[in-house]
Amino acid sequence: MTFGISVLYICLSFSRYIQVGIGKVSLLLNPPKGKIIIKMKQLSNRVHLIGSLGADPEITEFENGSLMARLSLVTNELICERNGCKTIRNQWHTLIVWGRLAKICSRYLYIGLEIAVEGHLVYRSITDSNGSSKILAEVTVNDLSMISRRRAG
């Protein structure tokens, strides 16, 4: 996981107010009516992933005609351990794609293709055949880009 560097910035506006902020959080000093207002910029549920498809897309067509594609994406992370060994840790992600983008996925995506996705994280609760409840984390995809065209193997 990569974290950006927080930068302290001061922005003088034309309306006689001084805006001071750290990273994406800004504090408006001397606003109208003498109140301090904290604004959060673009703080939302966003996921950006780059990885390879672990399987061909599974396409589901519903009775109302809408399409859903379920993708399995693997991301790799290089880990340096204390003893100096470098290992690669794989993380598997379930992606859900809806509508026209799902139709594009069914036509052009295949196992081993490297893609980049942007979406939001969704949690679902399911009950398996044993009766135990499980919580699944899935990424609902808003945008998708194909990075490579190589086949696995």
Side-chain angles (χ1 to χ4, degrees):
M1 190 172 204
T2 306
F3 293 96
I5 299 171
S6 295
V7 178
L8 177 66
Y9 62 91
I10 298 175
C11 175
L12 294 173
S13 67
F14 293 107
S15 59
R16 300 180 322 180
Y17 305 118
I18 298 174
Q19 188 173 5
V20 179
I22 301 173
K24 294 200 176 233
V25 179
S26 63
L27 174 66
L28 191 60
L29 301 176
N30 226 0
K33 301 179 185 172
K35 295 181 181 178
I36 295 177
I37 301 169
I38 297 177
K39 296 186 329 181
M40 302 298 273
K41 295 182 180 177
Q42 302 262 336
L43 186 61
S44 62
N45 178 4
R46 282 193 170 175
V47 176
H48 297 269
L49 296 170
I50 297 175
S52 299
L53 290 176
D56 289 333
E58 300 172 20
I59 307 300
T60 306
E61 186 171 357
F62 295 99
E63 293 175 2
N64 62 2
S66 62
L67 287 176
M68 180 191 80
R70 183 180 305 272
L71 308 173
S72 179
L73 185 78
V74 62
T75 56
N76 303 315
E77 183 179 7
L78 184 63
I79 305 293
C80 296
E81 298 187 17
R82 289 187 177 157
N83 60 6
C85 289
K86 293 182 180 180
T87 59
I88 296 176
R89 183 171 59 183
N90 298 327
Q91 295 287 331
W92 287 91
H93 311 276
T94 302
L95 310 178
I96 304 296
V97 184
W98 292 94
R100 197 175 116 241
L101 193 55
K103 188 173 185 176
I104 293 170
C105 289
S106 70
R107 193 164 180 190
Y108 295 107
L109 301 187
Y110 49 84
I111 187 171
L113 183 69
E114 191 172 12
I115 62 171
V117 297
E118 186 270 326
H120 59 276
L121 194 59
V122 176
Y123 291 98
R124 290 191 305 128
S125 179
I126 63 166
T127 305
D128 63 5
S129 59
N130 298 334
S132 61
S133 181
K134 293 183 179 184
I135 297 177
L136 298 178
E138 299 173 331
V139 177
T140 300
V141 175
N142 299 329
D143 195 14
L144 184 141
S145 297
M146 292 183 280
I147 297 174
S148 72
R149 293 202 170 268
R150 62 188 158 133
R151 291 235 178 225

